[in-house]
Amino acid sequence: MTQRKGEKPTISIQEHMAIDVSPGPIQPIKQISDYFPRYPRGLPPAVPHQVGQAGPLRSALSTSSATTSATAVAESDRPNEDSLDRACAGASASLQTTKRDEEPDVEGYDSDDSTTLGTLEFSLLYDQENNALHCTINKAKGLKPMDHNGLSDPYVKLHLLPGASKANKLRTKTLRNTLNPVWSETLTYYGITDEDMVRKTLRISVCDEDKFRHNEFIGETRIPLKKLKPNQIKNFNNCLEKQLPVNKTEDKSLEERGRIMISLKYNTQKSCLVVGIIRCAHLAAMDANGFSDPYVKTYLKPDENKKSKHKTAVKKKTLNPEFNEEFCYDIKYADLTKKTLEVTVWDYDIGKSNDFIGGVSLGINANGERLRHWFDCLKNKDKKIERWHTLTNELPGSLND
C-alpha cells in the first residue's frame, strides 16, 4: 500500500492485531467489543488519553524525526485502541473510587458520625405525678438517602416494648426532601406507671414515607425506661442502628391494646365498692376510619346471679375517651378478698357484633400494679384510689358481649 507524503498512516484491524502479537510474547486476541468500549455512567464524552504511551505501530511507522514529531502531535489528539482501552479502565476504576468516597452534599450535610444511617437528637421526661412520658423529638442529622433524588421524607415513630402494637404507636409529622430534619415535636404517652418504667423499653424508629409504596425503615434506637429518673429531663443524641429483631417468643396475649384509668373506693357507710371508669388512652383502632367507638363494661366475679354487669356510655370516633362514670357494687368488706373485678373495653358497631378492644382484671389473683391497686383499696377505706392499667388482648374470664 502506497502512502502519499504528509498523509497519516492508516492501518486495518487485522494489521493492528498482527502487530500486537508478532513479534514478541503472545497476547490475548482482542474481541470485537474491545473496539466499541462502553463508557461508565457519568464519564464525560471526551476520554483523556495517557500521553507518552505510544504503541509499537507508531514507532514503527515514523520515518524521520520531523515526521515523527508531526505525527505524534497529530495523533495525540486521537487515542488509538490501546490507549482508549487503558483510559476506559482507568476512568472506570477512578469512578468507582469516587463513588465510594463521595457523600451526598444536600442541605449542608457534613456528618462526621460513625454511622451511615444518621443520628437522632431527642429528650425524655417521666412525669410521675401525672403518669405521663413526654418524648420530645428534636432533630436528626445525616440520615441515609432513601429516594431517587438522594433525599428522604423522614418521620419518627415510637413504640413501647414489650407489647408493641398499633395502640401504643405514636408518630411525628413527615418532613419532605431532607436528610437533616428538625421536628421539635413532643409526643406523650399517658398512663405510664412506675412498673412500666422498670420493665418497658422505648423504641424510636426513623422511617422514610413513600406515597406509592410501603414506607421504608432508616434506623432505630432503644432506650430502657429504667434509665430515666422521675421528673428529670434526660437528653440523648444517639446513632441510629439497623432494625433489631423483636422477641417472637413474647406471649401474644400481652399485646397492649391501650390504657385505662380506674378508681376504687370502699364506702363503709353504704357498704359498697365504688368503681370509677375515668378515661382511656391510646386505644387500638378497630374501625376502618382509624378510630373506635369505645365503651366499658365491668363485672365483679364470681357473679352467681349475673347482676354485676355495668356499662358506660359509648364515645364516638375516639381513641382517647373520657367517661367519668361510677358504679356501685353492694358487698360486704370481708367478701372483697374473694372477688375479682373484670374491666373490658369494647368497640360499638351497628348491625354486627361489637369488637373486643382490651381488658384487665383486678383482685387477689392479679399481680403487679393490678394487685397493688386492689390491696390499696382494701387498706384505705373511704379513700378513692386512682391508677392507670394496661389493657391487653386477653379477654378476662369467658365474657360475651
Side-chain angles (χ1 to χ4, degrees):
M1 181 179 65
T2 59
Q3 178 181 342
R4 294 181 182 179
K5 187 176 181 179
E7 285 187 353
K8 295 181 181 180
T10 58
I11 189 169
S12 66
I13 293 177
Q14 290 82 356
E15 290 174 318
H16 182 72
M17 293 177 60
I19 292 173
D20 278 349
V21 300
S22 180
I26 296 177
Q27 298 180 7
I29 298 176
K30 291 181 177 294
Q31 299 181 1
I32 190 65
S33 59
D34 293 334
Y35 300 95
F36 301 92
R38 298 182 63 180
Y39 295 97
R41 254 187 180 176
L43 199 65
V47 182
H49 65 279
Q50 301 179 7
V51 180
Q53 295 185 358
L57 174 63
R58 184 171 297 163
S59 59
L61 293 176
S62 58
T63 57
S64 65
S65 59
T67 307
T68 302
S69 177
T71 304
V73 172
E75 292 216 3
S76 63
D77 297 332
R78 186 183 64 180
N80 62 13
E81 287 82 353
D82 280 344
S83 62
L84 187 60
D85 293 341
R86 288 191 293 269
C88 289
S92 177
S94 174
L95 182 65
Q96 292 176 0
T97 304
T98 304
K99 281 187 175 181
R100 286 195 299 267
D101 296 339
E102 69 181 5
E103 293 290 345
D105 186 15
V106 182
E107 295 186 6
Y109 172 62
D110 58 350
S111 176
D112 293 328
D113 304 318
S114 59
T115 174
T116 58
L117 300 178
T119 59
L120 182 66
E121 185 178 312
F122 59 96
S123 63
L124 301 177
L125 169 64
Y126 173 47
D127 184 351
Q128 189 176 34
E129 182 179 355
N130 296 310
N131 296 103
L133 176 64
H134 302 288
C135 312
T136 300
I137 308 300
N138 296 320
K139 61 182 179 180
K141 181 181 178 183
L143 293 181
K144 179 181 177 182
M146 304 300 290
D147 299 335
H148 295 299
N149 60 2
L151 301 173
S152 294
D153 301 321
Y155 67 92
V156 177
K157 64 179 180 179
L158 310 179
H159 283 101
L160 286 174
L161 304 176
S165 67
K166 291 183 179 180
N168 66 29
K169 182 185 80 171
L170 300 178
R171 63 163 286 173
T172 67
K173 58 188 176 184
T174 300
L175 299 181
R176 302 291 176 186
N177 297 323
T178 177
L179 299 180
N180 302 288
V182 179
W183 289 282
S184 299
E185 191 172 340
T186 299
L187 306 174
T188 301
Y189 279 108
Y190 294 100
I192 301 297
T193 64
D194 291 340
E195 182 181 1
D196 292 326
M197 297 302 294
V198 173
R199 68 184 187 91
K200 292 284 187 179
T201 296
L202 178 66
R203 179 172 66 186
I204 306 177
S205 307
V206 182
C207 302
D208 170 60
E209 183 177 292
D210 283 316
K211 292 183 179 179
F212 304 108
R213 53 180 179 169
H214 293 297
N215 297 342
E216 295 180 289
F217 175 86
I218 297 178
E220 71 170 37
T221 184
R222 299 188 184 186
I223 305 296
L225 296 185
K226 60 185 179 183
K227 288 186 176 182
L228 305 181
K229 295 181 180 180
N231 307 314
Q232 292 185 18
I233 297 177
K234 188 173 179 63
N235 297 311
F236 298 87
N237 189 6
N238 290 9
C239 292
L240 296 176
E241 304 177 67
K242 294 181 180 180
Q243 193 163 18
L244 302 174
V246 178
N247 186 9
K248 294 183 179 180
T249 61
E250 179 183 327
D251 187 357
K252 291 187 177 181
S253 66
L254 297 180
E255 178 186 331
E256 291 188 8
R257 309 300 291 274
R259 305 287 174 114
I260 184 170
M261 178 181 277
I262 301 172
S263 67
L264 297 178
K265 173 185 173 181
Y266 186 78
N267 190 322
T268 55
Q269 292 183 350
K270 298 181 179 180
S271 297
C272 68
L273 175 67
V274 181
V275 178
I277 304 300
I278 302 174
R279 59 179 294 198
C280 294
H282 315 300
L283 292 180
M286 307 302 290
D287 297 336
N289 59 7
F291 293 95
S292 293
D293 301 319
Y295 67 93
V296 180
K297 294 193 302 181
T298 64
Y299 292 85
L300 193 62
K301 298 288 190 79
D303 181 21
E304 297 177 356
N305 299 325
K306 297 184 178 182
K307 295 182 179 181
S308 69
K309 174 182 174 181
H310 289 284
K311 185 164 63 173
T312 69
V314 176
K315 301 296 180 179
K316 293 289 185 177
K317 202 175 180 181
T318 179
L319 300 180
N320 300 281
E322 292 190 13
F323 298 99
N324 294 314
E325 297 187 36
E326 291 185 342
F327 308 115
C328 292
Y329 291 100
D330 295 326
I331 185 174
K332 295 180 181 178
Y333 176 78
D335 293 339
L336 284 178
T337 57
K338 305 174 185 178
K339 295 291 184 176
T340 297
L341 177 67
E342 295 182 348
V343 181
T344 56
V345 183
W346 299 79
D347 170 54
Y348 177 77
D349 287 318
I350 300 177
K352 60 178 182 178
S353 299
N354 298 332
D355 299 317
F356 173 71
I357 296 178
V360 62
S361 297
L362 286 70
I364 58 172
N365 295 322
N367 52 39
E369 195 67 28
R370 296 169 293 174
L371 177 61
R372 192 176 300 113
H373 192 185
W374 190 257
F375 276 156
D376 287 345
C377 173
L378 298 180
K379 291 188 295 183
N380 299 277
K381 300 177 183 178
D382 297 314
K383 181 180 179 182
K384 181 185 291 187
I385 309 294
E386 295 181 354
R387 296 283 168 80
W388 281 96
H389 297 282
T390 300
L391 298 169
T392 67
N393 63 343
E394 184 178 17
L395 187 63
S398 56
L399 300 178
N400 296 320
D401 185 39

